[in-house]
Amino acid sequence: MRTHGYVLRRAVRASYILPPSETSARWARHLTAAYLTRGCGQWVSADQVDDARLVVSELVTNATRHGRGNCRLRLSVDHGRVTVEVHDHSPVPPRLRPTGPTAPDAAGGSGGGSGSADVCGLREDGRGIAMVRELSRRFSVLGSPGGGKTVQAVLTC
């Protein structure tokens, strides 16, 4: 058998810059799945890939909606842990919103500011950070010296 003189190297960490666009979350899900299934050099379960895609989608959506400018997605895998980090330029941390019925506002509307409500009066938005926290073994928001913040979620098997 003949061997070739090259070594297949895998990325220990992947980092992507995403524009403030509605399509960024879709691209981030695709990039996450590709990195975790083919690029990280470690075995990652299908359930972990699915959970990471959900977490990435939520965090990138928040960063592109509420951050200022581009956001950075960073992924790494180490000893069965998948770490997702999303950095944006807004110093305001993500907020865990109540998911119960919306309160009427002063104008008689459904309340909730920019949030939306379905026909039952329950909020459709504001549940993402609760989902991210539930899927994560560790969830944190770190201020950045240069401004902005990094939201980090660590997922395990």
Side-chain angles (χ1 to χ4, degrees):
M1 181 169 173
R2 188 172 171 182
T3 61
H4 297 281
Y6 65 89
V7 176
L8 182 61
R9 292 198 174 128
R10 304 290 183 167
V12 174
R13 180 185 303 172
S15 187
Y16 308 98
I17 303 297
L18 299 163
S21 166
E22 290 184 15
T23 61
S24 289
R26 178 172 39 109
W27 278 107
R29 288 190 301 272
H30 172 77
L31 293 166
T32 299
Y35 170 73
L36 293 177
T37 58
R38 296 186 296 275
C40 70
Q42 296 187 35
W43 182 82
V44 178
S45 73
D47 287 342
Q48 241 182 333
V49 173
D50 290 343
D51 288 353
R53 290 180 74 227
L54 283 170
V55 167
V56 161
S57 185
E58 175 59 29
L59 296 182
V60 168
T61 296
N62 283 352
T64 57
R65 280 187 185 166
H66 307 294
R68 300 176 186 146
N70 294 337
C71 70
R72 182 186 68 231
L73 167 64
R74 183 178 293 159
L75 303 165
S76 61
V77 178
D78 186 36
H79 302 296
R81 291 185 309 257
V82 175
T83 302
V84 174
E85 296 177 332
V86 176
H87 175 83
D88 66 50
H89 300 285
S90 170
V92 180
R95 197 171 64 152
L96 187 61
R97 295 184 187 163
T99 58
T102 57
D105 61 19
S110 64
S114 64
S116 58
D118 67 10
V119 293
C120 298
L122 297 176
R123 295 184 65 87
E124 288 181 348
D125 66 346
R127 298 180 185 158
I129 292 299
M131 177 195 66
V132 169
R133 291 179 72 159
E134 186 66 29
L135 291 172
S136 304
R137 180 172 181 96
R138 190 174 70 231
F139 176 81
S140 57
V141 180
L142 311 166
S144 295
K149 66 181 170 302
T150 299
V151 180
Q152 182 186 70
V154 179
L155 306 134
T156 57
C157 301

